């Protein structure tokens, strides 16, 4: 059983019946979409806007020191329920959730190849976005090819 907290423009914020951590809230479209890429752009925008508004809720419902915002998009990414939702998960240091990523170094060749594929894909997407997704008037995506120098952290 989930408990609705509020909804806005076809997107709702709920308290789920099973959670990663106490105080977790879900943000989800009322008209269900299985994966993010099937969700209309205006709904995706509201999902993230409401996820931002839900962060203070997650803090107020727990003793969180931080928050993870997570989408599991597809079974290989851990999606269990066939519905797009944004998890807003309260976090504390050493909470044992295991939701960490350890980036692996990439090669210049891989980066160049990925850049080429992404630029080509985005160029095609901007021309056909209206065909693939229900969207409002959409400006074309501006693709900028730029080599970014690696900085030390």
């Amino acid at each position: 059983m989930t408990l609705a907290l509020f909804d806005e423009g076809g997107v709702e914020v709920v308290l789920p019946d099973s959670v990663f951590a106490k105080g977790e809230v879900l943000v989800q479209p009322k008209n269900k979409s299985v994966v993010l890429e099937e969700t209309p752009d205006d709904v995706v925008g509201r999902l993230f806007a409401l996820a931002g508004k839900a962060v203070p809720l997650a803090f107020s419902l727990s003793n969180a020191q931080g928050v993870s915002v997570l989408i599991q998009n597809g079974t290989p990414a851990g999606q269990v329920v066939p519905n797009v939702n944004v998890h807003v998960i309260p976090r504390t240091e050493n909470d044992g959730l295991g939701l960490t990523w350890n980036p692996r170094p990439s090669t210049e060749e891989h980066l160049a190849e990925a850049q080429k594929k992404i630029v080509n894909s985005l160029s095609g997407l901007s021309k056909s976005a209206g065909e693939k997704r229900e969207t409002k008037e959409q400006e074309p995506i501006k693709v900028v090819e730029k080599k970014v120098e690696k900085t030390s952290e």
Side-chain angles (χ1 to χ4, degrees):
M1 172 179 160
T2 59
L3 297 174
L5 300 173
F6 60 91
D7 66 74
E8 184 178 294
V11 175
E12 60 187 357
V13 178
V14 301
L15 287 172
D17 55 358
S18 53
V19 297
F20 285 104
K22 179 184 173 189
E24 176 182 349
V25 296
L26 288 181
V27 183
Q28 61 191 18
K30 291 182 99 172
N31 293 327
K32 308 303 182 195
S33 299
V34 176
V35 288
L36 191 63
E37 58 273 22
E38 293 175 356
T39 308
D41 287 341
D42 59 322
V43 174
V44 171
R46 281 194 299 280
L47 279 171
F48 283 98
L50 284 179
K53 290 179 181 180
V55 167
L57 287 173
F59 276 108
S60 70
L61 293 169
S62 67
N63 294 319
Q65 298 165 316
V67 173
S68 289
V69 178
L70 173 70
I71 294 178
Q72 295 169 297
N73 198 58
T75 305
Q79 183 178 16
V80 178
V81 178
N83 180 39
V84 169
N85 52 53
V86 180
H87 298 260
V88 179
I89 307 165
R91 301 297 304 270
T92 57
E93 208 167 320
N94 301 314
D95 58 18
L97 288 182
L99 297 174
T100 59
W101 284 264
N102 296 312
R104 293 172 264 182
S106 191
T107 64
E108 284 194 35
E109 293 80 22
H110 170 76
L111 291 173
E113 181 183 327
Q115 179 188 35
K116 183 177 179 181
K117 287 180 180 179
I118 291 168
V119 166
N120 289 338
S121 176
L122 288 176
S123 296
L125 178 65
S126 67
K127 294 173 188 165
S128 63
E131 299 167 18
K132 293 184 179 181
R133 299 173 93 180
E134 300 171 29
T135 61
K136 294 182 179 179
E137 186 76 20
Q138 185 175 13
E139 291 184 32
I141 296 169
K142 294 177 184 160
V143 177
V144 177
E145 291 190 48
K146 181 178 178 183
K147 184 174 182 177
V148 178
E149 295 298 320
K150 188 175 183 177
T151 59
S152 59
E153 295 179 19

